[in-house]
Amino acid sequence: MDPELIGKIAQIASVLEVSGHPKPGNVHRTQDFDDMVFEDFLISGVVIGSLMKKAAEIGNRCQNDDSLYKIKLGKIIKEAVIETDRWIGNNTNLGIVLLLTPLSASAGMSNDLNDLRKNVGRIMEATTSQDAINLYDAINLADAGGMGEQEELDVADAEARDKIIDEDISMYKVLQMSSKWDLLSYELTNRMPVTFGIGFPTFRTTKMEYGINKATVQTFLTILSKKPDTLISRKYGDDMAKLVSADADSVLQSGGILNPQGELLLRELDKQLMRNKLNPGTTADITAASIMVAYLDEFGF
């Protein structure tokens, strides 16, 4: 697939995700956070385009199993975070970058959706210890809300970095360790089951009948209802994350954004989450990845 097209689709997915309105508990076109505003996310989505194009170009050149490590996935992720930080002084898109970079590299070497998902797995499994170090740098630069702050291989621990190099622990293995408590890590080490199995089909089907905005919000709600948000879990505990998922499911049972009653409940949920500072940010990241897959399917394959 054309790398320039892939870069544009990554930008589109990022911008559409943040524009989804009213996406509960998140920044959207009529709602800002105290330290992050809607325009920050728009800019962030635009400035990563060249890096996603780069990932696609390298992916196209490194398709054999013995050359996949040359993609240097962690380096591209770090570069995308640095570029974002140059424009926006906040962690607006680390999770999106983590998901969209392997998707972009995979799209560069894939002919259809089955290839796309399979190659994401191949790319992740071929990552190196240097990829892991670059990932740690990216997380620290983004100051990513507790991501990686665990007893084993804490991203803020210099000794953990030494251990990664000494024991040749790949980025894939590092993410496997955190996959028990972080949904993004689980996605990246299991060929993106939520993105491909829940988010993408929901967005594609809903968009056909209801348009882009409703498809974006309904996709977000559907993912949140089925998968408790691990950003909320890290900040407020698993029980709170499950409660938010149950609330999202109640909204969906009333139709979600697709009918007036569901939309009324949706807006109330948005207010409730904002009032309590509950931000389903992981869900938003996977929503962006789901949108990217949908547009790759529609315009690329």
Side-chain angles (χ1 to χ4, degrees):
M1 189 187 301
D2 177 20
E4 184 173 355
L5 175 61
I6 294 166
K8 288 178 180 177
I9 288 174
Q11 290 173 308
I12 288 167
S14 300
V15 169
L16 290 183
E17 183 280 315
V18 72
S19 300
H21 165 255
K23 204 167 71 277
N26 281 264
V27 170
H28 51 67
R29 67 183 78 171
T30 67
Q31 179 167 274
D32 298 328
F33 290 161
D34 292 338
D35 59 343
M36 299 181 196
V37 300
F38 176 62
E39 291 80 8
D40 291 340
F41 288 85
L42 295 179
I43 292 169
S44 301
V46 171
V47 301
I48 66 169
S50 61
L51 277 307
M52 299 305 104
K53 176 184 175 183
K54 177 181 177 179
E57 289 172 339
I58 300 174
N60 184 260
R61 295 197 300 268
C62 302
Q63 300 191 27
N64 297 325
D65 286 340
D66 59 356
S67 64
L68 287 174
Y69 73 94
K70 295 180 182 178
I71 294 173
K72 297 182 179 178
L73 198 68
K75 182 173 182 286
I76 301 174
I77 289 169
K78 180 179 175 180
E79 289 173 348
V81 171
I82 290 172
E83 181 64 16
T84 302
D85 189 64
R86 191 163 76 89
W87 293 86
I88 304 295
N90 280 305
N91 169 28
T92 50
N93 66 352
L94 174 64
I96 287 175
V97 167
L98 287 175
L99 295 174
L100 268 52
T101 305
L103 274 175
S104 296
S106 177
M109 65 175 71
S110 300
N111 297 311
D112 56 36
L113 283 178
N114 288 333
D115 276 353
L116 181 68
R117 186 172 183 184
K118 177 184 71 176
N119 287 330
V120 166
R122 292 174 64 227
I123 289 167
M124 291 303 306
E125 290 164 9
T127 54
T128 67
S129 57
Q130 188 56 54
D131 287 317
I133 294 298
N134 282 321
L135 172 65
Y136 273 35
D137 288 343
I139 293 170
N140 284 320
L141 178 63
D143 191 21
M147 185 176 184
E149 293 178 8
Q150 298 291 309
E151 292 183 5
E152 190 171 16
L153 296 181
D154 188 330
V155 297
D157 184 356
E159 291 184 5
R161 298 166 66 92
D162 292 339
K163 181 177 180 180
I164 286 171
I165 296 297
D166 293 342
E167 299 183 15
D168 194 26
I169 302 173
S170 70
M171 176 176 157
Y172 177 79
K173 290 179 182 176
V174 166
L175 290 171
Q176 273 190 320
M177 294 177 196
S178 57
S179 65
K180 298 170 188 167
W181 52 269
D182 179 69
L183 187 55
L184 294 184
S185 297
Y186 185 85
E187 280 288 282
L188 290 167
T189 54
N190 289 277
R191 305 192 177 192
M192 296 190 172
V194 181
T195 298
F196 282 89
I198 299 173
F200 156 61
T202 301
F203 183 85
R204 178 180 59 181
T205 302
T206 310
K207 176 175 173 284
M208 287 184 206
E209 186 173 354
Y210 295 96
I212 292 171
N213 183 66
K214 289 186 177 181
T216 300
V217 176
Q218 199 76 350
T219 298
F220 176 92
L221 274 175
T222 302
I223 294 170
L224 182 58
S225 72
K226 296 178 183 296
K227 298 292 178 180
D229 192 279
T230 49
L231 179 58
I232 293 177
S233 291
R234 288 201 298 276
K235 290 183 175 182
Y236 300 102
D238 292 343
D239 289 344
M240 179 59 73
K242 290 176 183 177
L243 180 60
V244 171
S245 287
D247 289 341
D249 186 61
S250 295
V251 174
L252 274 180
Q253 294 305 316
S254 295
I257 197 173
L258 305 184
N259 69 40
Q261 177 61 27
E263 184 171 353
L264 182 63
L265 294 175
L266 173 64
R267 292 181 183 277
E268 287 302 316
L269 178 60
D270 188 23
K271 292 176 184 176
Q272 173 190 324
L273 295 184
M274 290 296 293
R275 188 166 53 247
N276 292 292
K277 299 187 182 302
L278 295 168
N279 167 220
T282 302
T283 306
D285 298 334
I286 299 176
T287 299
S290 302
I291 295 171
M292 181 169 181
V293 171
Y295 275 86
L296 289 170
D297 181 48
E298 183 175 354
F299 291 95
F301 298 130

